[in-house]
Amino acid sequence: MPGIFLRSDAIVVLSLGGIIFGLVYFAYKKMGYIEELKKTNSSLNTKLSELDAQAKIIIKTDLELNRTQEELDKRITTLLALQKFSQRLAGVLDKDTVFANIEESLLEDLEFSSCLAFLKNNGDIEVKSAINIRQDFLKEDFDFKKILDILEEKNIIVGSIESKHLLEITQSIESQLSLTSFIIAPLKINEEIKGALVLGNLSKDLNEGDKEVAEITARQISQTLENITMFEKLYQSQRELEQRIMERTKELTNALNKLERANKLKNEFVSAVSHELRTPLTSIKGYASLLANEKFGSVPQKVKTRLERINLQADALVELINNILDISRIESGRTEINITKNNLSMSLKECLDLLTPQAKEKNINLNLNAPPGLYANFDKSLIERAIVNLVNNAIKFTPEGKNVELILQDFEDKVKILIKDQGIGIAEEDKENIFKEFYRTKQATNNNIKGTGLGLSLVKNIVKAHKGTIEVESQIGQGSVFIITLPKT
Amino acid sequence: MGSDRNIQIAAALSVNRYSLEQAVKECSVKIKSQIKTGVIDFCLVFFSLPKISLDLPGEIKRILNPASIAGISSPYLIYNGEILKYGIIIIGFSGINPVVYSLTNIDQQTSAEIEENSRKALKGVLRHKMFSLMLFSNTAVNNNALIEGSQRMLGKSFPILGVSAARKNFTALQPLLTNYQIHNSYLLKNSAVNAIFRNPTIDYHYSIRHGFNPIGKTAYITEKEKNVIKTINGIPAASFYLRYFESNDSPKAADLREKLFMLYPLGIETADSQKILIRRPIRITPDKSLVLSGGIPSDRVRIMISTRQSLISAAGESAETAMQKVNNPKIAIVFDSVSRFKILGAEYKKELLELKSKLGNIPYAGILSHCQLALLESAEPRGSMYVQEHNICTLVIGEHKNARYFFKK
């Protein structure tokens, strides 16, 4: 029994020992597992911490990226806003409109909250724009001039309420404009500071980019103001010029009116005198003719010869008076011009036929070079008279045996009539004057060629009445060409 | 309730800033040229004017003569591919006649008061209701009472789509600028105008997306109170958040923080961990707590990040999902977020183009909002309503495929 007891004790002891061993072993195992878990946990925590650290890096990078994007966005927005502003200023021609274009939306795009713009005006200061600034807060003691003085030295002012170096102005800017940060840029006209543009914010700090924007905006405004000033000057001088032209035109018109009145009086006088002369001249010519024809009895041959001369001179005088009357009538518009469609080729031929006997007397070849059946609108009797006059002159001034040619040229909307001779020619200094009334060239006088000095004047008036032109080309000793240009219609 | 006319919807924009009457007339001409019956039952108005005028609702009533009007002002309007700073958009509905009511002084009302006042305004007309469009002042964005009260009244899973207009200066350092609402002939502020659509002839769907992704490890909110996160992982919430950005407390850092809040908002998982809601911190309190716009549905919080492309894709997804689920779509109403507009910068145009590509030829109009009240992702009749920020929401309204049977009735 004791042995059994001993054995059972031993069993108990052994059993207890086994349990304890088992527990110890289990505890040992559990400890190992806990350690494992701790290790895993620690590793997980490390990984999570690493994740967090990576998150911080990502956020930092993202923040940088965002800043860059924001800066880029801001630059794009600013550029677009400035471009829009510039376009709006492009056509502006008065100063008030320039400042009216500074709107709240522009400030928003430029990232400013407030704006104050002022200009000097004859020693005073004129506020031209105040956005988000209460003008009634601007007291009389707001030192605009101080701002302009500082701008003379610094060119641009960037400041905030903390800017100690700008103490002279920051206090009033803070209290009266309610700005905590600001940029002041000068408004210049022709390099002279005429005012300033104050752009500011209530809270935001201003940076280099804001300074650039303020400078560009002020420059745009300055450029427009400068353009306006130039335009105003130009406009003023143009007005003065216009005024002077108007005055001068008025003077010239008056002078022309006087001249026209004098010319009219002259024409009336000439017309009246010519009429008065023609009546007694007709009597003289009639009586001389009757005497020469011995209607009042026979007259000696010497007397008869003198009477025939009186008759001839009276004829010349009648022609002279007729020419004067015609010129006077055409100039004064009293002659009715009857422009109709006529065969110009035929008219020229008729003129030549009329003068052929005269040409033959001087053994002068009279030629016509004209396309047949060329029609134009003209007064037949007047133009024929002008041609006869010119061809007659050509015959008179052309030496015997030479040629006189009448040429007709057709153009699209005009015709040219050329009267070409091989006469004595016209000196250069005479060319300007030959169409003047009673003007006689030296060659004509020296060569004792008779004339009244009215023929060419009459021709010129006839051509002018047809809205045509007459010109002359000539060389002494070589001959002359008179060119009449007439519109076809 | 029903209508014997089929549904016609027309949108019009006027950018006439100087004559309110002229602006409304311009819209009226365009709307009336498209709505053949000439009868306009309801007008939805989005407006942004340099100077507010009390006459606006009266002018709309006088010129277009709709049975009801609901509207909201915003500093930015969206109209067919454009973002506008000034203008009036009027969307005229014919054959759709929602019940419109308004709640005033919403920043001070409790959820019980909201519920009670909504009940009084509706007077038991809610037997048939499909969805509601709630336009509310940005004064209520921190007040959960509006959403809670409205849900108690309309039902927990009733699809409300709420929108609060953006603030002009998008920074929490600036005071909120006045935001106006229109209810029939009244111009209101600090109010919510709710239009409950109930015509069975309508087919509609909305889809809301943000395009943000979580980054870094999940953290746990260890202390919170309403919409304030006090501590995350046992440390002050602001300290936890800012250590991602190596930010400091200098005055300049305050501006930077605003930017960080916008670019890297918090993401809080929904209670079922299905989705992550964006929560943009509004401010940091002296004890370094983070104050949020909306509620905090769970304790799991993440830092969120986006790219311009992910935001644009989210917009496309929102429009595409809404379009796919609507029969005969007639109009899309887009509530985008001003924060997205800021993040996208010059590429915002791409988002509008993406919307256009998904919406096809139907017109779209809307506003840039501060936040939206919506079901989690889509207007499915389940789930809870949440305040959602940094999102784009596309509401497409069309005509039900069985509309002709309803008309027969």
Side-chain angles (χ1 to χ4, degrees):
Chain A
M1 283 300 282
I4 292 168
F5 268 113
L6 276 170
R7 225 175 292 144
S8 57
D9 285 348
I11 288 166
V12 169
V13 169
L14 279 172
S15 302
L16 280 171
I19 289 166
I20 289 164
F21 177 78
L23 281 171
V24 169
Y25 180 75
F26 179 75
Y28 172 75
K29 278 283 182 190
K30 189 75 179 174
M31 287 285 280
Y33 181 64
I34 287 167
E35 276 307 307
E36 195 73 23
L37 274 177
K38 271 186 182 170
K39 272 185 190 167
T40 313
N41 194 32
S42 162
S43 159
L44 268 173
N45 273 334
T46 313
K47 282 201 162 60
L48 280 172
S49 296
E50 279 171 14
L51 195 70
D52 241 19
Q54 282 168 4
K56 281 178 194 171
I57 294 167
I58 292 170
I59 286 174
K60 201 174 173 185
T61 315
D62 189 65
L63 207 53
E64 281 302 315
L65 184 73
N66 203 277
R67 254 187 224 126
T68 316
Q69 273 181 332
E70 220 172 46
E71 200 52 44
L72 202 66
D73 284 355
K74 190 184 160 187
R75 279 182 180 266
I76 292 169
T77 313
T78 305
L79 279 174
L80 287 173
L82 285 174
Q83 187 200 17
K84 205 167 143 191
F85 184 54
S86 174
Q87 279 172 349
R88 287 170 71 170
L89 292 187
V92 174
L93 291 175
D94 77 282
K95 289 176 183 168
D96 286 341
T97 313
V98 173
F99 293 100
N101 272 300
I102 308 173
E103 290 175 345
E104 202 175 342
S105 59
L106 172 76
L107 291 187
E108 274 180 36
D109 287 342
L110 301 181
E111 296 203 352
F112 291 106
S113 62
S114 312
C115 163
L116 175 74
F118 60 89
L119 286 180
K120 285 194 277 189
N121 187 10
N122 297 328
D124 291 333
I125 293 288
E126 208 177 325
V127 173
K128 305 298 277 184
S129 172
I131 297 172
N132 293 330
I133 283 169
R134 284 185 59 179
Q135 282 205 55
D136 50 346
F137 277 23
L138 285 175
K139 292 173 194 161
E140 278 178 12
D141 63 349
F142 188 82
D143 207 344
F144 292 103
K145 283 179 182 145
K146 188 85 219 164
I147 290 176
L148 296 177
D149 288 346
I150 299 175
L151 280 175
E152 290 285 357
E153 290 167 23
K154 289 184 182 288
N155 199 36
I156 187 156
I157 307 168
V158 182
S160 72
I161 48 169
E162 289 157 9
S163 306
K164 291 197 174 76
H165 64 291
L166 294 168
L167 267 180
E168 299 148 297
I169 54 169
T170 46
Q171 213 173 2
S172 52
I173 285 181
E174 189 195 359
S175 61
Q176 295 184 42
L177 307 187
S178 308
L179 298 175
T180 53
S181 54
F182 54 86
I183 297 172
I184 308 174
L187 297 176
K188 294 179 180 177
I189 298 174
N190 298 328
E191 292 306 308
E192 193 190 334
I193 295 178
K194 294 282 186 187
L197 176 73
V198 184
L199 294 171
N201 270 317
L202 303 171
S203 58
K204 187 184 152 247
D205 278 349
L206 300 169
N207 56 27
E208 206 51 36
D210 295 317
K211 186 181 152 190
E212 260 178 52
V213 169
E215 263 183 318
I216 294 170
T217 313
R219 261 209 304 276
Q220 280 187 349
I221 296 171
S222 297
Q223 188 59 56
T224 313
L225 293 176
E226 205 169 303
N227 290 347
I228 291 169
T229 310
M230 274 168 63
F231 173 78
E232 280 171 353
K233 273 186 189 164
L234 200 70
Y235 184 70
Q236 186 59 31
S237 65
Q238 192 190 337
R239 285 290 299 271
E240 282 170 13
L241 197 68
E242 274 175 8
Q243 188 63 31
R244 278 192 356 231
I245 289 170
M246 269 169 68
E247 281 166 11
R248 193 82 188 108
T249 309
K250 202 174 167 186
E251 280 172 22
L252 287 171
T253 310
N254 287 341
L256 189 70
N257 288 342
K258 272 184 191 170
L259 213 62
E260 278 178 354
R261 271 202 302 277
N263 201 35
K264 196 179 169 196
L265 282 173
K266 181 203 83 179
N267 283 338
E268 281 168 6
F269 172 75
V270 168
S271 180
V273 170
S274 303
H275 273 291
E276 292 307 313
L277 280 174
R278 217 157 51 165
T279 315
L281 202 59
T282 312
S283 299
I284 292 167
K285 192 173 150 26
Y287 285 120
S289 185
L290 286 172
L291 285 169
N293 290 330
E294 296 177 335
K295 295 282 180 191
F296 302 113
S298 63
V299 288
Q301 189 54 42
K302 278 185 179 176
V303 174
K304 205 172 179 177
T305 310
R306 303 296 186 276
L307 282 171
E308 277 165 1
R309 277 190 192 162
I310 288 171
N311 210 9
L312 276 173
Q313 293 301 324
D315 279 344
L317 206 54
V318 167
E319 195 193 338
L320 178 73
I321 290 166
N322 283 344
N323 281 346
I324 291 172
L325 276 171
D326 286 341
I327 291 168
S328 164
R329 278 196 205 111
I330 292 168
E331 272 187 354
S332 63
R334 276 182 287 132
T335 296
E336 194 183 318
I337 306 204
N338 184 23
I339 295 178
T340 52
K341 195 173 180 182
N342 292 298
N343 188 335
L344 187 55
S345 311
M346 187 58 77
S347 284
L348 296 187
K349 189 177 178 304
E350 282 169 12
C351 291
L352 243 60
D353 290 346
L354 191 70
L355 294 164
T356 301
Q358 205 177 317
K360 273 187 179 167
E361 265 180 35
K362 276 186 83 176
N363 194 24
I364 286 171
N365 293 319
L366 202 54
N367 299 316
L368 174 65
N369 182 1
L374 176 59
Y375 279 79
N377 285 338
F378 59 93
D379 184 311
K380 191 169 185 293
S381 71
L382 285 177
I383 287 295
E384 283 181 1
R385 192 166 171 192
I387 301 297
V388 166
N389 216 316
L390 289 170
V391 177
N392 194 24
N393 275 352
I395 293 168
K396 270 200 279 186
F397 287 96
T398 301
E400 285 187 12
K402 299 277 183 176
N403 300 319
V404 169
E405 198 177 3
L406 188 56
I407 303 163
L408 178 60
Q409 291 176 343
D410 184 17
F411 294 91
E412 196 178 338
D413 55 349
K414 62 190 175 188
V415 288
K416 280 192 178 184
I417 305 162
L418 288 79
I419 299 97
K420 199 173 172 184
D421 65 48
Q422 293 177 326
I424 55 176
I426 302 162
E428 203 59 42
E429 64 269 22
D430 287 330
K431 281 181 188 171
E432 283 178 21
N433 301 315
I434 53 169
F435 296 105
K436 287 181 182 168
E437 288 160 25
F438 301 109
Y439 187 83
R440 303 262 298 146
T441 63
K442 276 182 191 166
Q443 280 88 347
T445 317
N446 293 344
N447 288 294
N448 211 14
I449 296 168
K450 286 180 183 173
T452 58
L454 285 175
L456 288 177
S457 173
L458 181 64
V459 169
K460 189 179 180 181
N461 277 302
I462 289 170
V463 172
K464 199 175 156 190
H466 281 78
K467 292 184 179 134
T469 58
I470 182 162
E471 52 196 316
V472 61
E473 291 169 6
S474 182
Q475 272 189 319
I476 295 290
Q478 300 288 312
S480 307
V481 186
F482 282 84
I483 306 158
I484 295 172
T485 306
L486 292 174
K488 268 187 181 172
T489 52
Chain B
M1 175 193 78
S3 168
D4 56 355
R5 286 178 271 121
N6 65 350
I7 291 169
Q8 291 177 65
I9 304 171
L13 162 80
S14 170
V15 288
N16 192 327
R17 294 163 58 176
Y18 306 105
S19 164
L20 198 61
E21 186 189 358
Q22 201 53 41
V24 177
K25 276 184 178 164
E26 282 170 23
C27 291
S28 166
V29 168
K30 198 172 168 195
I31 290 169
K32 285 184 174 169
S33 72
Q34 291 176 60
I35 292 182
K36 292 183 182 66
T37 55
V39 180
I40 292 140
D41 296 310
F42 169 60
C43 281
L44 182 61
V45 183
F46 303 123
F47 60 101
S48 175
L49 298 168
K51 260 188 181 176
I52 198 66
S53 168
L54 289 171
D55 299 338
L56 178 61
E59 286 293 332
I60 297 170
K61 185 85 185 158
R62 187 173 65 80
I63 295 168
L64 281 152
N65 196 29
S68 54
I69 309 171
I72 191 164
S73 72
S74 170
Y76 300 98
L77 305 177
I78 302 169
Y79 187 81
N80 292 343
E82 292 286 337
I83 288 283
L84 303 140
K85 283 180 186 164
Y86 301 105
I88 298 175
I89 297 170
I90 302 178
I91 304 171
F93 294 78
S94 180
I96 296 179
N97 199 351
V99 174
V100 181
Y101 69 95
S102 57
L103 302 164
T104 52
N105 298 322
I106 51 171
D107 60 336
Q108 288 161 17
Q109 292 196 34
T110 60
S111 55
E113 285 167 338
I114 296 273
E115 183 188 357
E116 182 54 28
N117 290 331
S118 303
R119 198 176 304 282
K120 276 183 198 162
L122 289 167
K123 289 175 192 159
V125 291
L126 285 177
R127 286 225 324 258
H128 303 277
K129 59 185 194 292
M130 297 188 74
F131 74 100
S132 93
L133 184 59
M134 185 188 279
L135 312 170
F136 60 96
S137 165
N138 53 23
T139 49
V141 293
N142 299 332
N143 187 356
N144 291 328
L146 180 66
I147 181 169
E148 285 169 11
S150 300
Q151 281 187 320
R152 284 221 290 260
M153 171 65 199
L154 297 164
K156 187 89 177 161
S157 62
F158 177 70
I160 301 172
L161 173 57
V163 62
S164 158
R167 292 169 294 179
K168 190 166 187 179
N169 293 301
F170 188 62
T171 155
L173 298 174
Q174 302 265 326
L176 297 175
L177 289 175
T178 312
N179 173 218
Y180 295 90
Q181 296 77 43
I182 295 176
H183 175 207
N184 293 343
S185 299
Y186 302 102
L187 188 75
L188 310 166
K189 52 186 177 181
N190 190 20
S191 302
V193 178
N194 200 3
I196 300 178
F197 290 79
R198 49 197 187 127
N199 300 52
T201 49
I202 297 176
D203 197 11
Y204 83 98
H205 194 84
Y206 70 74
S207 175
I208 184 161
R209 297 285 188 280
H210 51 68
F212 279 78
N213 291 300
I215 188 167
K217 63 182 179 184
T218 305
Y220 294 88
I221 298 168
T222 39
E223 195 184 346
K224 65 181 179 185
E225 192 183 312
K226 289 187 177 173
N227 57 338
V228 179
I229 305 177
K230 294 191 170 239
T231 59
I232 297 172
N233 286 355
I235 57 169
S239 304
F240 169 83
Y241 178 81
L242 292 173
R243 71 194 177 95
Y244 279 90
F245 314 103
E246 295 163 6
S247 181
N248 54 44
D249 286 332
S250 70
K252 232 178 175 180
D255 276 349
L256 177 65
R257 276 203 302 272
E258 279 300 311
K259 200 169 172 184
L260 296 178
F261 292 156
M262 182 177 77
L263 290 172
Y264 313 104
L266 291 176
I268 298 178
E269 289 181 14
T270 51
D272 57 2
S273 298
Q274 292 288 307
K275 298 286 169 194
I276 297 177
L277 290 172
I278 303 291
R279 288 287 179 265
R280 175 179 181 273
I282 301 170
R283 64 175 193 276
I284 297 171
T285 61
D287 66 349
K288 301 208 168 173
S289 298
L290 288 173
V291 181
L292 311 179
S293 281
I296 304 162
S298 82
D299 292 338
R300 290 176 299 282
V301 65
R302 309 289 295 269
I303 303 287
M304 305 297 281
I305 191 169
S306 67
T307 63
R308 289 184 172 188
Q309 192 47 53
S310 71
L311 297 182
I312 292 167
S313 301
E317 223 178 280
S318 151
E320 194 171 24
T321 311
M323 278 294 279
Q324 278 170 355
K325 297 204 172 174
V326 176
N327 182 64
N328 190 11
K330 289 184 181 287
I331 192 154
I333 296 163
V334 177
F335 298 122
D336 205 345
S337 299
V338 75
S339 48
R340 298 168 61 85
F341 175 62
K342 296 274 177 186
I343 297 169
L344 284 167
E347 287 187 50
Y348 189 77
K349 199 88 186 161
K350 284 189 185 168
E351 183 175 87
L352 296 175
L353 287 173
E354 180 73 6
L355 282 176
K356 178 83 194 150
S357 74
K358 303 295 179 191
L359 294 171
N361 291 326
I362 64 163
Y364 67 97
I367 57 169
L368 288 191
S369 62
H370 173 68
C371 67
Q372 294 106 19
L373 279 182
L375 290 167
L376 207 49
E377 273 200 337
S378 294
E380 305 292 353
R382 60 184 163 77
S384 304
M385 298 288 301
Y386 296 97
V387 170
Q388 307 214 32
E389 298 172 273
H390 280 51
N391 276 265
I392 180 166
C393 179
T394 313
L395 165 67
V396 176
I397 299 176
E399 197 167 35
H400 198 279
K401 60 183 176 185
N402 296 326
R404 59 200 174 104
Y405 301 118
F406 292 118
F407 291 135
K408 273 184 185 174
K409 283 174 194 172

